[in-house]
Amino acid sequence: MRALVRLAAGLAKLLAGLVLAVLVFCAGAYFQVRGALPAYAGRLDSKGLKASVEIVRDKHAIPHIIAGSIEDAAFGLGFVHAQDRFWQMEMMRRLGQGRLSEIVPPAIVGNGIVETDRTMRGLGLYRAASDSVGALSPAIRSMLEAYSAGVNAWLAADNQQFGLELTLVKLLSLGRYRPDAWQPADSMVWAKIMALGLDGNWRSELLRLRLAKKIGDEAMKFLIDSPGEGRDATLSLVNEALNGLDLDRLYRATDNSATRKREASNEWVLSGAHSVSGKPLLANDPHLSLGFPGTWYLARLVGPGFDIRGATSPGSPGIVLGHNGTIGWGFTTTNLDSQDLFVERVDPTDPGRYLTPDGARPFGMREETINVLWGDPVRLRVRSTRHGVVIDDFARKPEEYSPAGHVLALQATALDGGDTSLEGLLRISQAQNWNDFLAATRRVITPMQNVVYADTAGNIGLISPARVPIRRKGDGSLPSPGWTGEYDWAGFVPFDDLPRVYNPASGIIVNANARLVPDDYRYFITRDWAAPYRQRRANQLLREVERHPVYGMIAIQADNLTPDAAEMVPLLLKPEARNPRAIRVREIMGRWNRFMLARRPEPLIYDAWIWELQRGLLAGRLGDELYYDLAAPNLLLIQRILRDKPEWCDNPRTAAVESCDDVIAAALERALGWIARRQGPDVESWQWGIEHPAAHRHPLFDTVPLLRDVASVRFPSDGGANTLNRANPSYRGPMPFEDVHGAGYRAVYDFSDLDNSRFAIPLGQSGNMMSRWSHNFVDSWKALRYVEIMGTRAELVRSAVGIITLNPDAR
C-alpha cells in the first residue's frame, strides 16, 4: 500500500512538473512575441519628479542617475530597479506581505508556500513595516515616496511587460494578475526581512529546546558550548511548561527563506600607514544566499552635493554599501540576539487571557485571510501578548502545537513598528564625516551590523549600532518563562556604550562575524559568534605586508586557504590507515597545502570526511530529523568531542563500542565511497569543483528542465565554509557540497582616489534571464576583474549602452 502511495505521489509530482513545463513554454513564447527587455534609451514624462533626471547606463549597464535633488535621484533609482529587477522586487514584497500564495499556486509548487505566508502573516512583518513609515523623518519619507513614484512610472507605461516570471503568473491567474502600485511600506519591508534573518535567533532557541528535550540539559549545553551558569531554573520551568509541545513540527512549519539565519561577511579597513597611497583602504564583501538574480545591483546617484556609488538592493531607495566621494562604509553582521521566545501561561479560568506579573491580561487578537491561487482561502487567527506575537498560531492546526495552558510568544526588534533603521542607512550614505556618520547610525534599530568607516581625511573607524536588549535575567539563549517577569527586557544598551573604535593605534580594523567585543564587555550581545577562522586569516594577511595596494585587497578577498584544516587534518590523520585506499588518501592529505581549489581532490576529501565524521558523532544520538538541522559541520564542536567527550564517539544505536579512531576511520570510508560512486575510483582525478559549483538558482525555474540551464547559473567554485573567499555548502540534499552561500558583492574603496575604487557582483544587472546584462559579470567575477563606477557625463556617453531622460509630467 505504501508503495502505491509513493508511486501515486511520484506520478502527481511528475504531472505537476509537466504542467509547469508546458505553462513555462507557453509563457516563454508569449514573452518572446511581446517582448519584455526594457528600453535603455528614450524619453518619458513622469509624475512625481521635481526636475528632469538623466539615466546614463555605462558599458556594463550600470546606471549613473544624474538628478537635481536626492529625491529625484531616488525616483530614477526606483525606475531602473523596476526596469531590471521588478519580478524580484514583487516576490520580495509579497514574501514580506505573506501573499506569495496569491500568485504562485501551491497545487504546483507545494504547500510550503502557504506555510511561508502563514508565518509571515502571523509575524505581522508588513504591518510593522507600514507602521515604521510613520516613524521616519519627512525628508526620508520623501525619498521613499519618490522611489515609489519611480517604480510606478515604469509600471504605468502602456502595454508594459513584466518578464517571463510575471508573464507566467499572469497566465496562471488567467490574466487577472496586475502588479499593485509600489508603496513606501514595500521598501520598508525589505529592511524588515533582512533584520529577521540577520539577527535570526528565535528559531535557534527552538532548536536548542529540541536538543534539550532529546538529549537532556547538560548534553545540550555541551553541544552548543553554552556559557555561564544560571539557566538551570529556566530550563526546568520551560521544560515543564512545554511538556508535550511538538517542537519539531513547529520548527519545520516556520522554516522559510525569510526566517532562516543568515551569517557571514568580511570587512576590513586600513589607515594610510598600511596602504601604498598613504590614504585608507576599505574592503567589504557581504555574504548571503546565492541566487538569480543576485541580491545586489550596482548604481551611482549624482547631483548637487552628492555623488554616491555602490551596491543597492532592488526595493530599497538608496546606496546600501559604498562611498559618497568623502566617506565609505561596509557591513558585516554581528549575530545579535535581539529575538526572544517567551512561554506564556494561559489563564486557567479564561482561555482568552494570559498571566502576567500584574495579573491576567486579554490576548490581542487579529484575523488574517490568505488568498490561494487555485485553492480555498486560508484563515488565520493570530494572538499576541505583551512580549509579542504568539508563534503557535502560525501552525495549520494550532491546537496540535500547543499543550493546554501555554503558548510561545516572540519578542523581536525586527517587529518594532517604530523602526527607523532604513533612515539610518540612507543617512549614512549622505554623511560627510565621522560625526555625521555616528548621527546616522543612531537611527539604526535592527539588524545589528558592524559598520566600518573611512574618509578622505584619513580617518577610520567602526561602530555596531542597534537596539541591544538588556535582560533582567538570563541571556535569551532558550525560551524563558513570560508570566514571572524575571526574564523580561529591561531596556536597551545606551548608544554611547555600543561597540566602537575610531582611529585605533594599530591602523587596522577587521571583522568577519567572529567575536566583536572582549569577554569583559559589560553587556550581552550574542553567544552565536561565527568561528574565528576567516577573521584570523584576514588579520594574518593584512599584517604580513607593510603597505597594501588596491589589488592586494582583492587578492585577500579571493583567498582560498582554509585555516581550520591546520587544526582538523592532524586529528583526521591520527588513526592508523586501515586499507590501501586509506593509506593513499593519507599520503595525499598529508601533503595538502590547505587551499580549497576547485580542480583539486583534497578539498573534496576534507569536506566529505568532516561531514561524515559529524554524522558519525551525532546522528545516532540525536536521531535523523534533529541531526538534519545540525548537518553543517561544526568544527569547534568536533574538536571538543574528540578532546573532552570521547564517550560521544560510541554510537548508542549499535551494539559494538566504537572509539573515536573507529568513528574517524569509518567516516573516511563513507566519504571515499560516496566520492568514488560519483567521480570514479581514481583519487587523483577527483575535483572539488564538480561537487562544489556556485549555485545561483532561479527561485521559480531551477527545477524546470526546459529552463533550468538558462534561468540558473552554476560554475565550479573555489573556497569553502571557512575561507575568506566564502563558498559555503548546503550539506543537504543530492548535492550536499554545492556552494549556496557566499559573496554577492565585493568592493574596495581607495581614499587616495575614490574613482579608483573597485566593485564586483557575480552575475549581472538585469533579472531578465534573456538579457545580455543578466550574466555579463560572470567571467570577470571568476577572473577577479572588478569594475570601476566613475566618469563625467561626457566620458560616460561615449561608451554608454543607453540614455533615458525622465521629465516632469506637466499635465
Side-chain angles (χ1 to χ4, degrees):
M1 185 64 184
R2 288 182 180 176
L4 290 174
V5 170
R6 286 196 297 269
L7 177 61
L11 290 173
K13 288 181 180 179
L14 176 61
L15 180 60
L18 290 172
V19 168
L20 182 59
V22 171
L23 287 172
V24 168
F25 179 80
C26 294
Y30 177 81
F31 175 78
Q32 290 282 14
V33 172
R34 298 297 299 273
L37 294 172
Y40 283 172
R43 302 176 68 87
L44 183 69
D45 293 337
S46 304
K47 294 179 180 179
L49 280 173
K50 298 176 182 178
S52 294
V53 172
E54 194 170 45
I55 300 167
V56 182
R57 276 190 170 83
D58 66 17
K59 61 184 179 181
H60 303 294
I62 299 169
H64 297 242
I65 301 168
I66 305 168
S69 67
I70 194 67
E71 291 83 8
D72 280 354
F75 183 105
L77 185 62
F79 186 86
V80 298
H81 277 170
Q83 275 195 307
D84 285 330
R85 300 283 189 93
F86 182 72
W87 77 263
Q88 181 186 28
M89 296 164 63
E90 175 76 327
M91 299 301 284
M92 179 274 295
R93 71 168 165 176
R94 283 183 174 270
L95 171 64
Q97 292 169 336
R99 295 178 57 204
L100 285 171
S101 299
E102 291 182 12
I103 62 172
V104 182
I108 289 180
V109 299
N111 282 327
I113 199 165
V114 177
E115 299 302 330
T116 296
D117 281 348
R118 293 177 69 91
T119 297
M120 302 310 287
R121 198 74 69 88
L123 288 172
L125 206 66
Y126 195 78
R127 287 171 174 264
S130 300
D131 291 342
S132 294
V133 173
L136 303 175
S137 67
I140 298 301
R141 278 204 305 274
S142 294
M143 281 190 68
L144 263 69
E145 289 164 358
Y147 178 87
S148 298
V151 176
N152 293 331
W154 183 79
L155 289 175
D158 293 339
N159 298 316
Q160 184 61 270
Q161 302 302 308
F162 303 112
L164 179 56
E165 294 80 7
L166 296 183
T167 299
L168 174 61
V169 166
K170 190 170 185 178
L171 287 174
L172 293 173
S173 67
L174 303 179
R176 291 190 294 271
Y177 169 76
R178 176 80 185 178
D180 297 334
W182 195 265
Q183 303 291 334
D186 299 338
S187 295
M188 291 296 290
V189 85
W190 166 83
K192 295 288 189 184
I193 290 171
M194 295 298 287
L196 193 66
L198 290 170
D199 279 1
N201 168 261
W202 66 279
R203 294 186 71 253
S204 297
E205 293 184 33
L206 277 179
L207 181 58
R208 290 171 190 144
L209 194 56
R210 293 169 64 203
L211 287 168
K213 283 180 170 288
K214 177 71 175 181
I215 60 177
D217 299 351
E218 292 305 316
M220 180 276 297
K221 290 177 185 179
F222 173 81
L223 197 61
I224 65 171
D225 193 23
S226 183
E229 301 174 357
R231 203 176 295 121
D232 294 350
T234 306
L235 270 176
S236 59
L237 278 171
V238 168
N239 283 336
E240 180 182 355
L242 297 182
N243 186 34
L245 180 64
D246 190 345
L247 293 169
D248 292 337
R249 189 173 173 188
L250 183 56
Y251 188 86
R252 291 194 305 273
T254 55
D255 179 34
N256 63 64
S257 59
T259 59
R260 290 182 198 124
K261 181 77 177 75
R262 300 178 179 93
E263 177 188 293
S265 299
N266 302 323
E267 65 183 8
W268 52 86
V269 60
L270 307 180
S271 72
H274 297 282
S275 73
V276 170
S277 71
K279 287 286 189 177
L281 291 171
L282 190 157
N284 186 208
D285 54 297
H287 307 162
L288 294 168
S289 297
L290 305 183
F292 176 85
T295 300
W296 304 105
Y297 178 96
L298 301 177
R300 179 186 185 188
L301 309 182
V302 186
F306 63 91
D307 185 351
I308 316 171
R309 317 175 200 185
T312 71
S313 184
S316 183
I319 305 294
V320 180
L321 299 162
H323 74 78
N324 64 13
T326 302
I327 78 159
W329 65 98
F331 292 168
T332 62
T333 196
T334 319
N335 294 316
L336 172 66
D337 187 339
S338 65
Q339 303 172 359
D340 281 355
L341 289 174
F342 286 91
V343 183
E344 307 284 20
R345 180 169 286 172
V346 179
D347 185 344
T349 66
D350 182 354
R353 300 169 72 87
Y354 67 100
L355 300 184
T356 78
D358 303 317
R361 290 189 194 179
F363 285 103
M365 193 77 68
R366 57 184 164 89
E367 302 285 337
E368 299 277 353
T369 300
I370 301 169
N371 294 315
V372 178
L373 186 62
W374 300 2
D376 296 328
V378 174
R379 289 178 174 81
L380 198 62
R381 181 197 65 172
V382 183
R383 293 168 290 176
S384 60
T385 75
R386 66 193 182 95
H387 293 114
V389 64
V390 174
I391 67 168
D392 311 53
D393 293 347
F394 308 168
R396 184 174 297 277
K397 295 180 180 178
E399 67 277 5
E400 295 182 6
Y401 283 69
S402 296
H406 295 90
V407 295
L408 281 168
L410 172 63
Q411 184 168 11
T413 56
L415 303 180
D416 188 343
D419 184 5
T420 56
S421 300
L422 187 56
E423 174 160 349
L425 295 179
L426 296 177
R427 290 196 180 280
I428 285 173
S429 70
Q430 299 173 48
Q432 295 298 303
N433 53 52
W434 176 252
N435 288 333
D436 289 351
F437 171 76
L438 288 183
T441 62
R442 281 183 180 272
R443 305 292 286 168
V444 175
I445 307 299
T446 181
M448 190 181 200
Q449 299 287 284
N450 309 307
V451 190
V452 289
Y453 166 96
D455 61 35
T456 52
N459 302 299
I460 66 172
L462 173 147
I463 188 169
S464 303
R467 281 190 183 162
V468 178
I470 299 174
R471 298 166 176 88
R472 291 196 173 107
K473 185 177 179 181
D475 65 9
S477 296
L478 284 162
S480 301
W483 63 90
T484 69
E486 295 176 87
Y487 300 88
D488 285 0
W489 293 3
F492 300 97
V493 174
F495 181 82
D496 290 339
D497 290 342
L498 292 171
R500 76 170 72 179
V501 63
Y502 184 60
N503 287 332
S506 67
I508 299 176
I509 304 171
V510 179
N511 184 266
N513 311 111
R515 180 174 287 277
L516 175 69
V517 292
D519 290 340
D520 59 359
Y521 181 69
R522 63 180 295 193
Y523 298 106
F524 174 76
I525 292 178
T526 184
R527 62 164 318 283
D528 294 326
W529 306 111
Y533 300 116
R534 285 179 292 113
Q535 195 155 304
R536 188 183 300 163
R537 177 64 172 167
N539 269 303
Q540 173 197 345
L541 293 174
L542 290 169
R543 285 167 169 77
E544 282 180 350
V545 176
E546 184 176 352
R547 289 184 177 269
H548 292 270
V550 168
Y551 191 79
M553 303 293 93
I554 294 173
I556 294 174
Q557 288 179 332
D559 182 69
N560 288 306
L561 183 136
T562 189
D564 51 288
E567 300 169 355
M568 288 301 304
V569 169
L571 293 175
L572 297 176
L573 297 181
K574 184 180 178 181
E576 291 294 328
R578 301 186 178 186
N579 56 58
R581 184 170 65 174
I583 292 172
R584 179 69 185 122
V585 167
R586 184 185 179 90
E587 294 171 354
I588 292 172
M589 296 305 293
R591 298 193 304 267
W592 183 36
N593 62 9
R594 296 186 283 130
F595 280 87
M596 302 286 284
L597 301 179
R599 67 181 183 274
R600 297 296 305 169
E602 296 94 342
L604 178 57
I605 296 169
Y606 177 66
D607 236 40
W609 196 348
I610 289 172
W611 181 54
E612 288 290 358
L613 176 56
Q614 179 159 295
R615 183 197 303 275
L617 292 171
L618 298 181
R621 196 169 299 272
L622 301 180
D624 292 339
E625 183 172 356
L626 190 52
Y627 174 74
Y628 179 83
D629 296 318
L630 292 170
N634 182 333
L635 302 183
L636 298 179
L637 171 63
I638 292 173
Q639 292 173 39
R640 289 205 323 275
I641 291 175
L642 297 179
R643 181 186 65 240
D644 302 330
K645 215 170 186 68
E647 63 270 24
W648 277 44
C649 292
D650 179 36
N651 187 346
R653 290 182 176 179
T654 64
V657 177
E658 293 95 353
S659 69
C660 292
D661 284 1
D662 294 333
V663 176
I664 292 170
L668 176 60
E669 287 307 302
R670 291 195 301 273
L672 298 180
W674 184 90
I675 300 170
R677 288 192 294 273
R678 298 174 66 87
Q679 296 195 25
D682 182 8
V683 175
E684 283 80 0
S685 70
W686 293 348
Q687 293 188 27
W688 174 230
I690 294 174
E691 307 300 337
H692 187 244
H696 301 267
R697 293 192 184 96
H698 192 292
L700 298 180
F701 298 151
D702 190 64
T703 58
V704 180
L706 294 177
L707 287 177
R708 180 178 185 268
D709 293 337
V710 176
S712 299
V713 180
R714 287 175 170 83
F715 49 83
S717 174
D718 294 330
N722 294 304
T723 55
L724 286 171
N725 176 24
R726 171 85 167 191
N728 198 29
S730 68
Y731 298 107
R732 292 187 171 94
M735 289 283 291
F737 304 111
E738 193 172 55
D739 170 16
V740 298
H741 187 280
Y745 170 71
R746 290 178 179 149
V748 179
Y749 313 133
D750 178 1
F751 287 86
S752 68
D753 176 10
L754 282 167
D755 279 350
N756 189 43
S757 299
R758 310 299 172 86
F759 307 82
I761 58 175
L763 300 182
Q765 292 287 91
S766 177
N768 187 320
M769 62 189 183
M770 297 184 183
S771 168
R772 62 178 289 205
W773 307 112
S774 64
H775 305 80
N776 58 298
F777 287 133
V778 172
D779 289 340
S780 58
W781 175 267
K782 292 189 290 185
L784 301 180
R785 292 194 306 269
Y786 293 19
V787 301
E788 299 169 344
I789 303 177
M790 58 167 289
T792 65
R793 182 191 179 281
E795 291 168 338
L796 291 167
V797 166
R798 286 198 289 269
S799 60
V801 299
I803 301 174
I804 296 173
T805 302
L806 304 176
N807 295 311
D809 191 338
R811 290 174 295 175

